[in-house]
Amino acid sequence: MFRTALRNVLAHKARLLMTVLAVMLGVAFVSGTLVFTDTLSNAFRAQSSKSYDDIAVAVSAAPNQRDPNATPGLSEKTRQKIASLDGVADATGRVNGFAGVPDKDGKLIGVGWSNKGTNFAPGRDGKDTAYDFTSGTGPVKDDQIALDKDTADKGGYKVGDRVRVATNGPVETYTLSGVFTTEDGAVSAGGSLVLFDTDVAQKLFLRPGYFMDISVRAEPGADAGKILSAVQPVVGDTADAQTGQALADQQAKDIEAGLSNLNQMLLGFAGIALFVGVFLISNTFTMLVAQRTKELALMRAVGASRKQITRSVLAEAGLVGLVASLVGFGLGIGLAAALRAGMNAFGLKIPAGDLVIGTTPLLSALGVGILVTMLAAWLPGRRAAKIPPVAAMSSVHAVATTKSLVVRNTIGALITAAGLLGIVLGAGKGGDDGRMLIAGGAFLALIGVIVLIPLLSRPVIALARPFLKPFGVAGSLAGQNAVRNPRRTGATASALAIGLTLVTGLSVLGATVGSAVDRMTTDQIKADYMITMASGEGLNQAALDAVRKTPGATAVSPQQAGYLQVKGDFKSVSGVTPGDVEKVLNLQVIDGSLGSLAEGRVAVAEKTAKKQGWKVGSTLPVEFSDKKKGELKVGAVYEDSEFVSPLLLDARILNVHDPKPYIPQIFVKMDAGASAAAEKAVTKSLGDNPAVTVMDQKDIRDEFGGVINMMLNIMYGLLAMALIIAVLGVVNTLAMSVFERQQEIGMLRAIGLDRRRVKRMVRLEAVVISLFGAVVGIALGSFLGWAIGETLRSSLPGYALVLPWGRIGVFLLLAGLVGVLAAMWPARSAAKLNMLAAIKAE
């Protein structure tokens, strides 16, 4: 039986090619993901280990800069004490924070969160072991800086140039003293690194004479554990101390945890691709078995048992799976290399290191590929074994019994109903629990629809027949062929339906959320500009004062973040400018007046007011951030807004209790509205600071909606593989269908159907099947998009379902194009059949 299976594989190479491709793509994604994440993990672990290779003990403090009475960090005195301990060679203090450098056009190099500044800490030899200088030297004067090589190259800077540097204070200009290379994570992430003299860095990022971290290097032969024991009493409870090895191990674990999410996401899409491939594989083996029913019947007649027949089919599937898995594993290695190169091309640098090809990806590739193929082939093999020899020898195709169809449709209807019920219940429940219900319901609904899809094929495809009439006889025959074998049509359409369910669901959700975000910005923001820091940190009072002096600015209000304690409960509060906040934000007042803010009253968001039982005139006992207590009266109740906290208060009141206010945004209204001149005026008032972002309303919408569009594009790209496999399924089905209908096609040719109309018939059949799968997928995907959107309704003001008809139309057109492209080879094969040889074919 094994020799028979091998012979069948070799005899049907072309027919099994599509199955090999489907398994190969899925396996490539699985193995490529595992190799890629192993490579990333190994590279970052090696980098982390290298960073702490010569560090015996690392000491770190988390300074509280908002509390003037708190210890700001590790003092120079503490560093000197550590440096004098037995076994310590030296102790290097570090302080760091945000620092950004503009390019020649004044634009910030890198992304705000990855732009970093720190201090140059030379040893006795004048060198800092953390940095290798390619030109110049480290900064040793107040007006000097050094830049990492990538940033210097991007900005076109060389030693001796004057460079503007943006921090959380005013922009300063420094002389570039040197250019260096480093393994620092900020630079690896595509950001920049600026080195300052230690005194300058302390003034910028902490306080003079204090460090955030101290790295302790040991003398030769000294024990890191003993040094740690000696360091701990010196730093006490003000800082954390651990060995360099422990810190490297912890970072390695953090890296593993961080990469696990990426790993799971990529494996999830690989699973989808393999799930789609199951239908192609099952369809292929179903048709191969149907074509060999007489051969299988003869084997049964000469003594082969049912188990042997099933094992023969499974052995054939196993061989196909083995070949596909091996090829897919090789392709996966190439995919991992391409992903790595792609990340480097986008500026997300991965530390140097070879691709890590372990046994786990190989075993996973073989296991997944062979198992999926054999599982998909099991049912066709079981069906083949059940056919009685006499019945099989007298009929080319085994017809499904009425009982089996009734059982199938009943089971499919029950599973679909359970899935749809779960989706509806999840939509009503909302939140994370609701989304879990929707996920479970979606899985059941997909399975149920797949089971029911042969039943759906006849009525749905019947709707397409009027559109086929203009194509004459070819169109009529295409419609009949599409429903001739509902199970085969259903299996082919299922692959497309799954892919388009996911793509449509994402599109509906993205369009709905994007529309809500767009309305949120246009409805709630009256300001012409919103000002933020590129680093994600807050602006300071000096920036707010500078913006107020901008020529043409008619209203300026901060959104200053703070908190109050009301009866022991912490409540976030936004500090705003009374009189101006109404001009820059569209806050709908339900009761009272926002003008009461100028009288020292507090405004409360509607949901918070209802929950706490507050109303206009209520007196709230509060405790401010400096622990001082007082009372505030409610002067207004307003509709909840995404741009302010549940409580509003005059910023001047908060400033009395907070010497260093945190201002995430500043809103500005200009007398002549938004324009290039107005934006230039605002930017100039802020000192042309490249770290400050000035956004108009379009930029604000793009800021909030850009993430959604980026995620959608990533999802589309990952789901493309599932759709490619679905296309292979259509090609395979048509090729098998043409082979089975050789005699019929020969008869059609003999009675006058020319080659052009034969091609048209096969193409139209492919288009009909593709559009059938697309319609099912789009309908189910739209329903899922609505359900998930309902779980977000409470957190998205102005939420309303949006069906992206334009994209849905594109999906339908693409499905039709898929049918046309998939039919090219089968249609050509059908048209080239010799009619006399085809008529004689059995």
Side-chain angles (χ1 to χ4, degrees), residues 167-521:
T167 58
N168 288 331
V171 178
E172 299 286 351
T173 303
Y174 300 86
T175 299
L176 183 63
S177 67
V179 176
F180 59 89
T181 59
T182 178
E183 295 292 330
D184 191 278
V187 178
S188 297
S192 62
L193 182 61
V194 182
L195 295 184
F196 299 90
D197 176 65
T198 296
D199 291 340
V200 174
Q202 288 176 333
K203 290 174 185 176
L204 287 172
F205 304 131
L206 199 57
R207 290 188 198 174
Y210 285 90
F211 301 99
M212 296 176 181
D213 306 290
I214 295 176
S215 300
V216 182
R217 290 176 64 242
E219 293 178 345
D223 181 72
K226 290 182 179 179
I227 293 176
L228 176 62
S229 299
V231 167
Q232 285 173 332
V234 175
V235 299
D237 296 333
T238 60
D240 293 326
Q242 55 186 320
T243 63
Q245 184 60 52
L247 192 58
D249 292 343
Q250 182 59 49
Q251 286 201 0
K253 289 180 182 177
D254 294 340
I255 290 166
E256 294 279 357
L259 291 175
S260 67
N261 293 329
L262 173 66
N263 195 28
Q264 289 170 10
M265 183 184 75
L266 292 175
L267 287 176
F269 283 99
I272 291 169
L274 288 168
F275 185 57
V276 172
V278 164
F279 296 97
L280 189 158
I281 299 163
S282 181
N283 214 12
T284 300
F285 277 94
T286 297
M287 289 184 281
L288 286 174
V289 166
Q291 291 169 12
R292 288 168 21 215
T293 47
K294 286 191 175 182
E295 174 191 329
L296 294 172
L298 183 60
M299 292 172 66
R300 288 290 311 281
V302 297
S305 66
R306 287 186 176 185
K307 287 184 179 180
Q308 286 178 308
I309 296 294
T310 303
R311 282 200 294 264
S312 173
V313 175
L314 290 178
E316 187 176 340
L319 289 170
V320 171
L322 177 63
V323 172
S325 298
L326 291 173
V327 176
F329 180 69
L331 190 63
I333 294 173
L335 178 63
L339 284 171
R340 179 174 178 170
M343 289 185 72
N344 286 329
F346 280 100
L348 300 173
K349 294 185 178 181
I350 299 172
D354 297 328
L355 281 176
V356 178
I357 306 172
T359 56
T360 300
L362 176 60
L363 293 176
S364 298
L366 292 172
V368 167
I370 296 172
L371 184 64
V372 166
T373 311
M374 293 182 71
L375 281 175
W378 175 76
L379 193 57
R382 188 167 173 269
R383 285 182 191 149
K386 282 187 172 182
I387 300 172
V390 175
M393 294 181 75
S394 64
S395 174
V396 176
H397 301 290
V399 180
T401 64
T402 302
K403 180 182 177 182
S404 70
L405 292 174
V406 170
V407 170
R408 176 189 177 115
N409 294 335
T410 302
I411 293 173
L414 290 173
I415 295 173
T416 304
L420 296 178
L421 180 62
I423 293 171
V424 172
L425 290 175
K429 189 175 183 63
D432 291 337
D433 292 340
R435 285 187 280 275
M436 289 297 292
L437 271 174
I438 290 172
F443 179 75
L444 289 176
L446 268 175
I447 297 297
V449 168
I450 288 165
V451 174
L452 282 177
I453 211 165
L455 178 66
L456 297 173
S457 63
R458 289 185 182 277
V460 175
I461 291 177
L463 298 174
R465 286 183 179 172
F467 299 98
L468 297 173
K469 283 186 178 180
F471 297 98
V473 174
S476 177
L477 289 171
Q480 292 174 23
N481 291 334
V483 295
R484 176 180 294 180
N485 190 330
R487 282 187 171 178
R488 185 193 314 166
T489 298
T492 305
S494 293
L496 275 172
I498 293 168
L500 282 173
T501 294
L502 299 170
V503 170
T504 305
L506 286 171
S507 298
V508 170
L509 185 61
T512 299
V513 173
S515 177
V517 169
D518 192 55
R519 281 196 300 273
M520 182 175 70
T521 54

Side-chain angles (χ1 to χ4, degrees), residues 461-691:
I461 291 177
L463 298 174
R465 286 183 179 172
F467 299 98
L468 297 173
K469 283 186 178 180
F471 297 98
V473 174
S476 177
L477 289 171
Q480 292 174 23
N481 291 334
V483 295
R484 176 180 294 180
N485 190 330
R487 282 187 171 178
R488 185 193 314 166
T489 298
T492 305
S494 293
L496 275 172
I498 293 168
L500 282 173
T501 294
L502 299 170
V503 170
T504 305
L506 286 171
S507 298
V508 170
L509 185 61
T512 299
V513 173
S515 177
V517 169
D518 192 55
R519 281 196 300 273
M520 182 175 70
T521 54
T522 54
D523 292 350
Q524 296 188 30
I525 296 181
K526 293 181 181 179
D528 295 311
Y529 298 104
M530 182 175 80
I531 303 169
T532 61
M533 284 291 290
S535 63
E537 299 179 6
L539 295 146
N540 55 27
Q541 188 65 40
L544 178 60
D545 294 338
V547 173
R548 284 181 172 143
K549 296 175 184 177
T550 303
T554 57
V556 177
S557 176
Q559 193 288 104
Q560 181 175 319
Y563 69 89
L564 299 171
Q565 280 194 68
V566 185
K567 296 181 180 178
D569 292 334
F570 283 92
K571 302 291 182 185
S572 61
V573 58
S574 288
V576 297
T577 302
D580 282 5
V581 67
E582 303 98 314
K583 298 175 184 177
V584 297
L585 294 175
N586 189 15
L587 299 174
Q588 299 296 320
V589 178
I590 297 170
D591 192 13
S593 170
L594 290 178
S596 63
L597 292 171
E599 302 169 6
R601 297 196 174 193
V602 64
V604 185
E606 181 183 16
K607 290 181 181 177
T608 301
K610 285 183 178 178
K611 184 177 180 181
Q612 300 293 334
W614 300 337
K615 58 185 178 180
V616 173
S618 297
T619 300
L620 312 181
V622 300
E623 183 180 297
F624 293 94
S625 59
D626 60 357
K627 307 301 181 183
K628 291 183 179 179
K629 297 182 179 180
E631 289 186 345
L632 293 173
K633 277 194 174 183
V634 177
V637 176
Y638 60 92
E639 288 185 4
D640 290 68
S641 169
E642 291 295 308
F643 291 94
V644 292
S645 299
L647 300 182
L648 291 184
L649 196 62
D650 188 337
R652 291 172 296 183
I653 296 175
L654 288 179
N655 291 344
V656 172
H657 303 279
D658 189 351
K660 290 188 177 181
Y662 175 66
I663 307 173
Q665 297 106 16
I666 298 174
F667 296 96
V668 185
K669 185 76 174 174
M670 304 295 287
D671 56 1
S675 65
E679 184 175 342
K680 187 176 180 180
V682 173
T683 304
K684 187 176 180 180
S685 70
L686 290 162
D688 291 318
N689 191 331

